[in-house]
Amino acid sequence: MKGGWEIKKLGDVASYINGFAFKPEHWNDEGMPIIRIQNLNNPDALYNYCNIDIPSKYIVESGDILISWSASLGVYEWKGENAYLNQHIFKVVFDKIPINKLFLKYAVGAKINEMLKDAHGATMKHVVKKDFDNTKIIYPPLPEQERIVAELDCLSSVIEKQKELLKELDNLAQSTFYTMFGDPISNEKGWEVKKLGDCFYHIKNGANIKQERGAGGIPITRIETLSGGIFNRDRLGYANLQEVSKYQQYVLNTGDLLLSHINSKVYIGRTVAYHKEGNEVIIHGMNLLRLIPNADTILPIYMQYFSYTDMFKGQVANRRKDAVNQSSISVADLKTVSIPIPPISYQQEFASKIEMIEKQKELIKQSIAETETLFNSRMDYYFN
């Protein structure tokens, strides 16, 4: 270890205030927002609010460091408005020794996997406070802490800017759809309107095959495969099959559309076009519909971008059946959805533009992966 560097236990570095145990009767439609774990993991997650007085120690201000220690372990710098802190999240109070707060954030982040190994609970993993306090981190002099933070912040900033570029390209793609085809609801360009059932000759559920998460066996789609509105190969399930030929009718081909028809109501109707990579063999699994288009009527990429529009979402919302734990839309109801159909040549022009955008996105994703590799290498160098 470098001269002047020490090893400290987290419990000796700062104090950690667990959030308030809010109950449903504390929730309101107005007041101060309540920070729950989902609000840390997903910036678009909805907030609960509270309009009663809660002790001030549970108030989080911009710049505070938060650590979720149950269900989903993580460390965050809060950048939102003042809010109340829910239970299962620590607020760090820097009241023991001089330490750069962002240095602590990175140091704790480097120990998350180590904490997970010692986490308790069968269904909801959580870190015991004693184990958390005893977790050891490096403690260099403050100037070194600040230098390390500056380096890691620089890499983090590059990654965030690259991710913003991806969002801008996604916005460009959707903007291109509206520029070329207009608003589907008003259909000011007068495109012929057809029923979805007339545009696709195959709309069926997938194979009912027992599957496991993690690599090993034949990949098979799950609901999570469409997470984020893209085809996530890292969120496939796997099936131990002796003969793939038995399921040949379920093997995906380029141009197939996958549509979520059983899920939470927010995700019903999520549609993604599949494009085969190399010689991969992926089986279409249960709870996702597979739509094969009539090639002379509609292109998969046009349908995918149409599914992002208010016209499509509204029709799906009017047809879905909502239950307590999940929602669904039947094939019969899905077939009645109306779709403006531009000439196939116009759709092909749109597909070419989207292809160019996707190529730019792939270059940026490659750059993100390279920068993340460098970031992880520096984290490992400093903290592990």
Side-chain angles (χ1 to χ4, degrees):
M1 184 179 295
K2 294 183 179 180
W5 290 41
E6 303 176 56
I7 297 292
K8 297 283 187 182
K9 294 180 179 179
L10 286 178
D12 297 331
V13 169
S15 298
Y16 308 92
I17 298 176
N18 189 24
F20 185 78
F22 287 95
K23 298 178 181 179
E25 54 264 33
H26 294 141
W27 299 346
N28 205 300
D29 293 331
E30 57 185 23
M32 191 175 289
I34 301 170
I35 301 171
R36 297 177 294 163
I37 290 175
Q38 52 262 56
N39 301 119
L40 298 175
N41 292 330
N42 178 10
D44 297 323
L46 299 177
Y47 285 89
N48 290 325
Y49 294 83
C50 179
N51 60 2
I52 65 173
D53 288 333
I54 301 295
S56 60
K57 69 177 183 177
Y58 299 114
I59 295 177
V60 175
E61 299 177 347
S62 181
D64 283 345
I65 302 300
L66 306 178
I67 303 170
S68 61
W69 54 268
S70 178
S72 176
L73 273 62
V75 56
Y76 311 85
E77 180 186 3
W78 180 248
K79 295 183 179 180
E81 61 182 300
N82 286 6
Y84 287 131
L85 188 65
N86 195 35
Q87 62 182 338
H88 302 150
I89 306 172
F90 290 140
K91 179 176 77 170
V92 182
V93 179
F94 295 88
D95 59 352
K96 293 188 176 180
I97 61 173
I99 186 169
N100 184 295
K101 69 176 184 179
L102 294 180
F103 178 84
L104 179 66
K105 172 178 174 283
Y106 285 124
V108 173
K111 296 296 179 179
I112 291 297
N113 288 335
E114 180 181 315
M115 293 181 190
L116 277 171
K117 293 178 183 177
D118 299 323
H120 294 245
T123 56
M124 183 180 289
K125 294 289 185 181
H126 63 275
V127 178
V128 175
K129 183 63 161 59
K130 175 175 67 69
D131 293 338
F132 178 87
D133 285 342
N134 286 329
T135 299
K136 296 177 180 179
I137 63 169
I138 62 164
Y139 180 71
L142 276 176
E144 274 295 286
Q145 293 180 31
E146 292 165 358
R147 184 192 64 78
I148 292 169
V149 167
E151 179 184 342
L152 296 175
D153 274 355
C154 179
L155 292 172
S156 296
S157 177
V158 170
I159 293 169
E160 288 306 310
K161 288 177 180 177
Q162 291 169 325
K163 289 180 177 179
E164 286 298 320
L165 281 176
L166 283 181
K167 291 179 182 178
E168 290 178 14
L169 287 172
D170 285 335
N171 292 336
L172 174 61
Q174 194 63 31
S175 174
T176 300
F177 178 92
Y178 284 105
T179 299
M180 290 188 66
F181 306 119
D183 181 358
I185 294 177
S186 60
N187 194 16
E188 69 267 23
K189 299 197 176 185
W191 308 125
E192 179 183 4
V193 177
K194 294 188 176 184
K195 298 300 181 184
L196 185 146
D198 297 327
C199 300
F200 297 86
Y201 67 85
H202 174 105
I203 306 175
K204 292 185 179 179
N205 207 341
N208 188 4
I209 304 174
K210 182 180 179 181
Q211 54 182 280
E212 304 290 340
R213 297 186 182 186
I218 303 299
I220 182 169
T221 62
R222 302 185 296 135
I223 290 176
E224 293 88 341
T225 305
L226 304 192
S227 178
I230 60 175
F231 190 87
N232 296 279
R233 286 172 172 78
D234 60 345
R235 296 192 180 185
L236 291 164
Y238 289 83
N240 294 316
L241 301 178
Q242 300 299 320
E243 293 185 34
V244 179
S245 58
K246 180 180 177 182
Y247 297 95
Q248 191 61 42
Q249 62 178 312
Y250 296 106
V251 173
L252 294 177
N253 297 305
T254 294
D256 290 348
L257 281 159
L258 294 174
L259 183 145
S260 175
H261 73 118
I262 299 177
N263 207 322
S264 64
K265 60 184 179 182
V266 176
Y267 300 108
I268 293 295
R270 176 168 285 174
T271 307
V272 174
Y274 168 74
H275 186 86
K276 186 173 183 177
E277 292 188 354
N279 296 319
E280 69 181 4
V281 174
I282 298 177
I283 291 178
H284 167 215
M286 285 285 287
N287 297 336
L288 290 176
L289 292 178
R290 179 188 185 188
L291 291 73
I292 301 178
N294 295 320
D296 58 347
T297 301
I298 191 169
L299 294 184
I301 198 66
Y302 174 80
M303 180 62 204
Q304 177 174 326
Y305 277 84
F306 173 70
S307 74
Y308 302 154
T309 67
D310 290 340
M311 180 180 181
F312 180 78
K313 291 178 181 177
Q315 292 183 85
V316 169
N318 290 335
R319 289 163 173 76
R320 72 168 188 254
K321 304 295 189 297
D322 294 331
V324 175
N325 295 321
Q326 67 179 18
S327 300
S328 63
I329 183 170
S330 69
V331 171
D333 285 338
L334 187 66
K335 286 182 176 181
T336 67
V337 168
S338 298
I339 309 174
I341 304 294
I344 200 71
S345 60
Y346 213 39
Q347 294 183 45
Q348 289 168 342
E349 182 183 342
F350 173 71
S352 297
K353 292 182 178 182
I354 295 301
E355 183 179 5
M356 288 189 289
I357 292 173
E358 288 299 323
K359 287 180 179 178
Q360 290 298 313
K361 287 174 63 177
E362 285 305 313
L363 291 174
I364 294 172
K365 288 177 182 178
Q366 181 180 345
S367 179
I368 289 173
E370 291 171 354
T371 311
E372 286 178 337
T373 297
L374 177 58
F375 176 85
N376 292 333
S377 173
R378 301 308 289 168
M379 285 280 286
D380 190 59
Y381 174 78
Y382 289 125
F383 299 110
N384 294 322

